[in-house]
Amino acid sequence: MSGAEIVLVHGSWHGSWCWALLSDELGALGRVTHAVDLPSMDGPGYGVEADTKVVREKVDSIGAPVVLLGHSYGGVVISQASAGDRLVYLAAFMLDEGQSPLSTVGQELPPGLDMLPPPADPIDMSYADVPADLARDAVSRLRSQSAQAARDRQIGAGWRDIPSTYVLCEQDRAVPPALQEQMSQRANEIWRLDAGHSPFLSMPRELAVLLDEIASAVDDA
């Protein structure tokens, strides 16, 4: 059996570009990675189901065991996809059926809002511990996301049937650690990083080593 490959699912406002450093580090460890671009970044009307379809198609195209990782909003997508051999939630929304990220944090969006712009201060929220040049580059790449993706409620919860790991970021300013603690209780195991919301930029080597260890359990299954 070949080693488990890792499919990387980005969060709101991001794209596959955000995984470049982590992919390089995982490649150095011998891990094959695949990063998808979610259609909810393409315009209004695309929600969780459209994003889920892309992820399922990617997983189905891989002829090896798959670790499916979702960051932030990407956690909703991997849960609904219910695909792969292990689910990894990286500072992610690990929701039950009927929940949405908005309902989980007690927020609502204006009814007429079609596209949700990036936060006003993304560096403080998502990149506080990221080197300044990388943080500025990341901010320049952020794009608005379909508001439907934020409003859609979870249909299906893949973590009920697929082994799961929660990677909790203890310095996160975007998804509060207390909320991560609560959601992570649904996972089979919990790992912790002394990191902000984007460890794929702030500590890609450390995150890669952790993910390689998680994937090794799939290799040995």
Side-chain angles (χ1 to χ4, degrees):
M1 180 181 292
S2 59
E5 301 182 8
I6 302 177
V7 174
L8 303 166
V9 182
H10 64 79
S12 296
W13 310 300
H14 288 69
S16 58
W17 56 264
C18 72
W19 301 113
L21 293 178
L22 178 63
S23 293
D24 286 347
E25 294 289 355
L26 284 165
L29 295 173
R31 289 287 169 193
V32 176
T33 60
H34 309 263
V36 299
D37 283 300
L38 300 179
S40 61
M41 304 299 301
D42 293 336
Y46 294 100
V48 175
E49 185 52 43
D51 290 343
T52 297
K53 183 174 183 291
V54 168
V55 171
R56 284 182 181 143
E57 289 174 349
K58 175 55 69 175
V59 172
D60 289 346
S61 73
I62 298 170
V66 170
V67 173
L68 181 56
L69 180 149
H71 174 245
S72 199
Y73 159 75
V76 179
V77 179
I78 68 169
S79 287
Q80 193 151 316
S82 296
D85 299 275
R86 189 164 198 95
L87 303 178
V88 177
Y89 296 82
L90 176 62
F93 286 96
M94 189 176 187
L95 306 182
D96 209 343
E97 294 186 24
Q99 295 182 315
S100 71
L102 286 175
S103 70
T104 302
V105 299
Q107 295 181 359
E108 295 183 0
L109 297 178
L113 183 67
D114 291 328
M115 295 296 290
L116 185 63
D121 189 359
I123 289 183
D124 181 69
M125 179 178 288
S126 298
Y127 311 125
D129 59 340
V130 174
D133 57 337
L134 289 177
R136 288 192 297 268
D137 180 68
V139 170
S140 73
R141 295 170 181 259
L142 297 179
R143 298 160 51 199
S144 294
Q145 182 183 28
S146 171
Q148 181 180 333
R151 295 188 179 104
D152 283 347
R153 293 184 179 270
Q154 188 82 70
I155 300 173
W159 49 266
R160 292 188 179 278
D161 302 306
I162 300 172
S164 60
T165 300
Y166 200 100
V167 181
L168 195 155
C169 294
E170 297 180 317
Q171 305 302 322
D172 201 327
R173 300 179 185 177
V175 181
L179 177 57
Q180 292 186 50
E181 291 277 6
Q182 178 184 340
M183 295 187 292
S184 69
Q185 300 309 304
R186 295 169 172 146
N188 296 109
E189 64 177 9
I190 303 170
W191 295 70
R192 299 171 187 275
L193 288 175
D194 186 23
H197 191 57
S198 305
F200 43 85
L201 295 178
S202 62
M203 51 175 65
R205 176 64 180 176
E206 293 88 338
L207 179 57
V209 170
L210 186 157
L211 293 176
D212 183 56
E213 185 167 346
I214 293 170
S216 293
V218 176
D219 296 342
D220 298 335

